[in-house]
Amino acid sequence: MSTAIEASGLGKRYGRTWALRDCSLAIPAGHVVGLVGPNGAGKTTLLSLAVGLATPTTGEVRVAGGRLAGSAAALDAVAFVAQEAALYRTLPVADMLRIGRSLNRRWDDERARARLAELGIPPEKKVGALSGGQRSQVALTLALAKRPELLILDEPLAALDPMARHDFMAALMAAVAEDGVSVVFSSHVVAELERVCDYVVVMHGGRIQVCGDAEDLVAGHHVLTGPADRADAVAERFPVVRDRRAFAQAHLLIRSTDPVAVPPGWQRQPVGLEELVLAYLREPSASVLDGPRPVHGEQAACR
Amino acid sequence: MDVDKGGQSADRPPSPIEFRLDPGSGVPTYLQLVHQVEQALRLGHLQQGDQLPRVKDVVAGLAINPNTVLKAYRELEHRGLVAGRRGLGTFVESTLDRVGLREQAALQKSMLAWMRTASEAGLDEAGMSALFTAALHELRRSGAGRTDEDGGGRAGVVA
């Protein structure tokens, strides 16, 4: 199975601070992966390492089917859209295209121009004169012109208004449909995940907290609602992600991949991806790492 | 806005229907698409041979993961309603039995009359909905009802 990103024992230290630690994961290709976590969780560090903009302190990371991050082979296959769509503001859009064409071995200029025309962005306009939404679309156009196998985006939605956000995601998803490109993007917007992502990685404090197929994660979690005085007995039987109790009633968000035999007097409800991710974000000590094993390296993935 | 109902024009979308999403419904996205196709079949908006919206168009319109659309189309294929043709798209294979428009209107009218009676008796919307659901359950249990789930209420099929 081809992987989009696989890391083993990956760590990055800036001075005395570990921005990322003991990161081992293997994300299969062909997914739209949402990377979420609070500020300082290590999302940007992980993405920078995968793109090859930073070098690991420990371990290694491979991208787009096992190419060592930062290698020439990896640079050909991976495109990156940095935070706030970093572009040269004083240059016209056409010049950004020219730069892209001369810096990349793979470059589809015709397609890039067609996209811009479709979006109604005049090539002679300076990047700084575009709206935030247009700027992000130019950055996406440049990234897709590489015809990458893996597209990595750091907070692509952060600076966009709701309409631009929708348009950007629609353009991104259309690229996935047409080219089959794997996508990994970090975001604070947990609500967007459910519509867009089929694979989720949650980070906290420089470590991977949750990593897995969205459908499997949702199928593997349930909310059990029942009498509070019997909650302890139920909580002993399953790993509990979130425990909410009043004096009479308790809601336990539990993890169980087997079909749960609901204890008498209790009710089981399904849980949505957004609720699930939020519960993990609020409970940094809980984790679920059941992804596949990496092809390279001896560390087990996602334990 | 001009709506061209004439012959096939080059930029006319290939499908007679378009999807919308209700983010607050709690129904998984792929199921919403499945239900909308079934609904369109029932109402006659989709007929045999019609094309479903192309994956690329759905994705570009709703900003959802293409795998979600593919999953919905696979489910519809599994239910025997549509079939994919490689390189062309997904097309309607068979229609759901649908009740004629006139009969539908008559049924809605009698239901409305029932609702007025219920309202006069002091029942609110939630109460009516609960009664309707309970009656539906009873119908299903008695074996007379038709269901569309899992290829259709085996217990209730009368040969």
Side-chain angles (χ1 to χ4, degrees), chain A residues 224 227-240 243 245 250 252 254 261 263-264 266:
Chain A
L224 295 180
D229 55 356
R230 275 184 275 154
D232 283 337
V234 174
E236 269 173 26
R237 288 175 49 198
F238 306 102
V240 177
D243 194 328
R245 297 187 199 190
L252 305 178
I254 60 145
W266 289 71

Side-chain angles (χ1 to χ4, degrees), chain A:
Chain A
M1 180 191 53
S2 182
T3 51
I5 297 184
E6 56 185 282
S8 59
L10 187 67
K12 179 69 183 175
R13 196 182 56 206
Y14 292 106
R16 285 186 179 172
T17 316
W18 285 91
L20 189 71
R21 250 187 160 161
D22 298 330
C23 169
S24 294
L25 52 77
I27 301 170
H31 282 287
V32 179
V33 184
L35 176 61
V36 291
N39 286 327
K43 304 188 295 288
T44 298
T45 302
L46 176 59
L47 295 184
S48 303
L49 289 167
V51 173
L53 284 173
T55 49
T57 310
T58 65
E60 64 167 31
V61 54
R62 290 176 181 271
V63 290
R67 307 165 204 221
L68 196 62
S71 67
L75 291 177
D76 274 348
V78 179
F80 179 55
V81 176
Q83 269 179 41
E84 287 169 30
L87 301 168
Y88 295 103
R89 292 178 156 254
T90 52
L91 290 186
V93 175
D95 286 2
M96 289 298 313
L97 284 184
R98 214 161 290 139
I99 292 173
R101 195 171 55 203
S102 46
L103 288 180
N104 289 282
R105 289 198 280 189
R106 274 206 284 199
W107 189 262
D108 191 340
D109 208 54
E110 201 174 309
R111 183 159 183 253
R113 286 179 185 280
R115 270 206 90 222
L116 291 176
E118 219 171 278
L119 293 161
I121 298 174
E124 65 278 4
K125 210 161 176 183
K126 286 192 174 158
V127 169
L130 300 173
S131 71
Q134 286 177 320
R135 228 169 7 246
S136 69
Q137 291 283 9
V138 169
L140 182 61
T141 303
L142 290 169
L144 290 174
K146 283 187 70 168
R147 290 207 172 271
E149 286 173 40
L150 170 63
L151 175 58
I152 296 178
L153 309 99
D154 195 4
E155 297 284 353
L157 305 172
L160 302 182
D161 65 55
M163 217 157 58
R165 203 175 266 184
H166 183 277
D167 292 348
F168 185 86
M169 268 304 162
L172 185 59
M173 291 304 108
V176 173
E178 282 169 43
D179 302 356
V181 59
S182 301
V183 173
V184 177
F185 74 98
S186 62
S187 180
H188 283 301
V189 191
V190 180
E192 300 273 349
L193 291 180
E194 202 136 13
R195 299 177 74 161
V196 170
C197 299
D198 49 25
Y199 203 97
V200 179
V201 178
V202 181
M203 294 187 72
H204 193 277
R207 291 172 195 270
I208 307 285
Q209 188 191 358
V210 177
C211 162
D213 185 280
E215 241 174 68
D216 294 347
L217 285 171
V218 167
H221 290 80
H222 316 268
V223 173
L224 295 180
T225 299
D229 55 356
R230 275 184 275 154
D232 283 337
V234 174
E236 269 173 26
R237 288 175 49 198
F238 306 102
V240 177
V241 180
R242 189 192 59 201
D243 194 328
R244 290 257 173 83
R245 297 187 199 190
F247 65 88
Q249 191 188 40
H251 302 282
L252 305 178
L253 174 54
I254 60 145
R255 178 158 68 87
S256 169
T257 42
D258 301 320
V260 180
V262 182
W266 289 71
Q267 279 184 318
R268 184 187 61 191
Q269 278 133 12
V271 58
L273 190 62
E274 184 182 350
E275 185 185 359
L276 188 63
V277 167
L278 280 174
Y280 275 103
L281 286 173
R282 284 183 202 284
E283 203 53 66
S285 62
S287 82
V288 46
L289 305 169
D290 52 9
R293 290 168 161 272
V295 184
H296 301 271
E298 60 288 343
Q299 289 231 17
C302 294
R303 266 170 310 181

Side-chain angles (χ1 to χ4, degrees), chain B:
Chain B
M1 196 172 64
D2 284 329
V3 177
D4 179 17
K5 289 192 175 169
Q8 293 276 358
S9 71
D11 49 359
R12 185 177 133 158
S15 179
I17 64 160
E18 197 166 315
F19 294 118
R20 63 172 291 274
L21 284 187
D22 181 358
S25 71
V27 179
T29 306
Y30 88 95
L31 264 187
Q32 290 192 38
L33 303 185
V34 168
H35 291 162
Q36 282 173 43
V37 169
E38 289 183 335
Q39 188 72 353
L41 286 168
R42 273 193 205 99
L43 295 172
H45 296 154
L46 266 182
Q47 289 172 1
Q48 197 152 359
D50 279 345
Q51 185 171 3
L52 295 189
R54 288 178 300 205
V55 174
K56 159 175 117 158
D57 295 337
V58 180
V59 158
L62 300 177
I64 58 172
N65 191 315
N67 290 329
T68 308
V69 186
L70 291 172
K71 188 176 175 190
Y73 286 8
R74 269 201 308 275
E75 176 61 31
L76 287 161
E77 213 163 321
H78 179 71
R79 295 186 184 187
L81 297 172
V82 304
R85 296 183 204 153
R86 192 163 274 279
L88 288 174
T90 305
F91 295 81
V92 176
E93 282 279 289
S94 70
T95 50
L96 288 168
D97 293 341
R98 64 190 176 96
V99 179
L101 287 178
R102 198 173 296 172
E103 276 169 289
Q104 276 189 44
L107 284 166
Q108 184 170 352
K109 211 169 149 193
S110 61
M111 181 113 86
L112 210 59
W114 178 84
M115 282 173 177
R116 288 212 181 88
T117 319
S119 175
E120 277 159 23
L123 220 57
D124 62 2
E125 279 182 28
M128 287 183 218
S129 177
L131 268 187
F132 183 84
T133 310
L136 210 59
H137 270 292
E138 206 172 308
L139 183 73
R140 213 175 279 160
R141 252 215 317 273
S142 71
R146 309 171 51 95
T147 71
D148 296 323
E149 303 304 319
D150 312 317
R154 251 166 245 105
V157 173
V158 181

